[in-house]
């Protein structure tokens, strides 16, 4: 890409000279002409770069085995750990036979020598991240042609959903296509509110966007006053009035009332986001498509999304770096699964845990993320995310996985009149020392819309639903070895405070995953302090 970028930079240097040729025109017209030219150049550069990356993707996926060997060599030769064996190996079988699988928590402890790890980078800089961003932008533009028009995109969170920040000339394609800045979310939201022509709304993750819309409802009048007063920018009293009118009609469909031309919401899939996507789609972002350009984990970008209009997120697992293996998930025996397989060996309909090796030393690291193969792209699998193994509840060997608990909670909330689930987290009673005088149990914290108090009858429904979806939990409850789940309703902002506490942890991953099971007391106490009933 070096030659095209040099040509683009040369064109940028020529722009002032070209502008002189139009100096007889009014200043606004000259600026508009220059911005339009920059946008056309950026669009052409994106098309060329995306076509190049698409060609490379085709070549690598048609020879997945060979591509994975090259990726493994690249990872091992550049590994930052001081004592990595087999640096010169190109044989994947030798690599797998000599290096054991390691869980993410174990890998972090080994790397840090028992010390806390430094914060993760907020962006990735591998080939997969560049492919994900360029191909994601190209696919988004193809599905929604007006999205990349000038002023068509705005990012309302400090973090960006695009895995790789892109330099000029892509800045000209829209407000959101840029490296994440250090701006306050309120200022970013105000910028977006001043632009009624938006076609795409961007946020780092769906949970962050949920915080944005919750904050919009709480601070709507203050934002309207700022727009009317022209702080910042010129006064927009009419737009301020439109904001007030839109908020008065409630949360359902609010995004389309504020931005009538909005078509798509772009967020990065990072685990634990399904609940936030469902809440946004049912309320504030009703009628809009959600698109995640990639599936990301703390070790790198592991999946590319080439299908913006497909629901539930389809991801192609590319054969380049980081090096990906798939560990078959055996029902009821996830700890003692079979040996790993490579991408070309994945079978449609099967579920696998992702295993990652990258240059930072996460050698053969089990991520705990389970995916299901739903198709193929040349020799590589196309997958959907299923669940995270590390998010299981297990006080007496019942082992309730994240997706099983979420199903039970969804059934229970469906029986609570008028309630809409926004967020939840669980804690095993031993974490909060709340089992004294009772059997070990689950402490469940929920944020709801449409319900301000939980009756005992409603609380009991969750325990009944858990027994319906988990025979082992039902048996434990029958024999009294597990006590009934205790449900707590938390107030506005409780989960935002939890996410802030998570982000402050020295070893916090990027993108910020939303844990559904809390293992640390101080995090659980963030929610415990905000209990309403």
């Amino acid at each position: 890409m070096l030659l095209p970028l040099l040509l683009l930079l040369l064109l940028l240097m020529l722009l002032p000279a070209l502008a002189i040729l139009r100096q007889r025109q009014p200043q606004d017209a000259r600026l508009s002409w220059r911005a339009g030219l920059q946008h056309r150049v950026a669009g052409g550069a994106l098309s060329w770069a995306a076509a190049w990356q698409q060609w490379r993707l085709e070549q690598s996926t048609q020879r997945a085995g060979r591509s994975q060997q090259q990726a493994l060599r690249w990872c091992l030769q550049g590994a930052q750990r001081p004592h990595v064996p087999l640096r010169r190996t190109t044989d994947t079988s030798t690599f797998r036979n000599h290096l054991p699988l390691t869980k993410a928590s174990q890998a972090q402890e080994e790397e840090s020598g028992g010390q806390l790890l430094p914060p993760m980078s907020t962006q990735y800089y591998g080939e997969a991240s560049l492919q994900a961003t360029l191909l994601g932008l190209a696919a988004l533009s193809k599905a929604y042609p007006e999205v990349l028009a000038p002023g068509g995109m705005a990012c309302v969170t400090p973090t960006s959903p695009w895995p790789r920040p892109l330099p000029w000339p892509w800045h000209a394609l829209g407000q959101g296509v840029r490296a994440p800045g250090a701006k306050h979310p309120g200022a970013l939201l105000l910028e977006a509110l001043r632009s009624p022509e938006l076609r795409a709304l961007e946020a780092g993750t769906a949970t962050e966007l949920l915080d944005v819309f919750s904050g919009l409802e709480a601070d709507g009048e203050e934002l309207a006053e700022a727009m009317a007063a022209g702080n910042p920018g010129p006064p927009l009293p009419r737009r301020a009035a439109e904001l007030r009118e839109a908020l008065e009609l409630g949360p359902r469909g609010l995004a389309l009332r504020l931005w009538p031309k909005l078509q798509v919401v772009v967020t990065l899939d990072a685990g634990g986001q399904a609940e936030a996507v469902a809440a946004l789609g049912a309320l504030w972002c009703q009628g809009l498509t959600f698109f995640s350009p990639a599936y990301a984990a703390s070790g790198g970008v592991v999946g590319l999304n080439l299908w913006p209009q497909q629901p539930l997120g389809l991801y192609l697992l590319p054969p380049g770096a980081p090096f990906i293996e798939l560990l078959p998930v055996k029902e009821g025996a996830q700890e003692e699964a079979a040996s790993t397989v490579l991408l070309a060996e994945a079978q449609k309909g099967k579920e696998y845990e992702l295993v990652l090796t990258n240059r930072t030393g996460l050698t053969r690291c089990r991520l705990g993320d389970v995916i299901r193969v739903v198709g193929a792209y040349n020799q590589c699998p196309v997958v959907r995310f299923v669940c995270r193994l590390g998010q299981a509840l297990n006080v007496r060997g019942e082992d309730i996985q994240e997706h099983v608990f979420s199903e039970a909670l969804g059934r229970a909330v469906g029986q609570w009149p008028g309630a809409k689930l926004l967020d939840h987290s669980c804690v095993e009673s031993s974490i909060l020392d709340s089992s004294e005088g009772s059997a070990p149990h689950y402490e469940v914290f929920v944020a709801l819309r449409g319900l301000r108090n939980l009756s005992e009858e409603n609380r009991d429904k969750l325990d009944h639903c858990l027994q319906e979806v988990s025979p082992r939990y039902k048996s434990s409850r029958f024999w009294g070895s597990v006590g009934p789940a205790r449900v707590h309703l938390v107030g506005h902002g409780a989960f935002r405070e939890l996410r802030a506490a998570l982000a402050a942890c020295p070893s916090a991953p990027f993108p910020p995953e939303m844990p559904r099971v809390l293992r640390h007391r101080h995090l659980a106490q963030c929610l415990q302090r905000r209990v309403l009933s």
Side-chain angles (χ1 to χ4, degrees), residues 66-264:
R66 179 181 175 185
S67 299
Q68 284 208 276
Q69 282 189 337
Q70 294 173 343
L72 177 60
R73 186 187 306 116
W74 182 85
C75 290
L76 291 177
Q77 290 177 351
Q80 296 177 12
R81 294 180 66 176
H83 304 293
V84 177
L86 308 175
R87 281 183 182 271
R88 297 182 180 179
T89 186
T90 59
D91 180 56
T92 53
S93 296
T94 303
F95 168 72
R96 288 185 290 184
N97 290 336
H98 284 76
L99 293 177
L101 293 173
T102 307
K103 290 187 177 181
S105 57
Q106 295 171 333
Q108 290 180 352
E109 185 176 351
E110 290 174 5
E111 286 180 51
S112 61
Q115 303 298 316
L116 290 173
L117 292 175
M120 293 287 184
S121 169
T122 56
Q123 297 289 325
Y124 306 112
Y125 294 94
E127 179 69 15
S129 66
L130 181 63
Q131 281 187 334
T133 299
L134 290 172
L135 295 181
L137 282 169
L140 190 66
S141 177
K142 184 177 180 180
Y144 306 99
E146 296 182 339
V147 160
L148 296 188
M153 306 172 74
C155 190
V156 293
T157 60
T159 57
S160 167
W162 302 101
R164 178 75 173 260
L166 296 176
W168 192 96
W170 289 285
H171 287 185
L173 290 176
Q175 299 178 50
V177 187
R178 62 177 189 268
K183 286 189 175 181
H184 187 274
L188 293 170
L189 177 59
L190 187 58
E191 273 187 40
L193 289 171
R194 295 174 64 89
S195 306
E197 302 295 314
L198 289 183
R199 265 78 170 185
L201 199 63
E202 297 180 336
T205 61
T207 52
E208 292 176 79
L209 185 59
L210 193 65
D211 289 341
V212 168
F213 275 106
S214 297
L216 174 58
E217 289 188 293
D219 306 325
E221 181 57 35
E222 181 180 338
L223 291 167
E225 290 177 358
M227 275 196 291
N231 182 25
L236 297 175
R238 182 175 178 180
R239 184 61 178 159
E242 291 174 352
L243 172 59
R244 293 188 177 100
E245 292 173 6
L247 289 170
E248 287 176 0
L249 296 176
R252 199 175 300 273
L254 176 61
L256 279 174
R257 291 199 299 274
L258 291 173
W259 300 286
K261 296 182 180 179
L262 203 61
Q263 295 176 290
V264 62

Side-chain angles (χ1 to χ4, degrees), residues 303-339:
L304 313 179
N305 190 346
L306 308 179
W307 307 276
Q309 294 174 308
Q310 286 289 334
L312 302 178
L314 289 177
Y315 299 102
L316 163 67
L317 301 185
F323 180 69
I324 300 173
E325 300 171 78
L326 302 175
L327 182 65
V329 174
K330 292 185 177 180
E331 188 173 354
Q334 286 133 351
E335 291 298 322
E336 298 298 332
S339 60

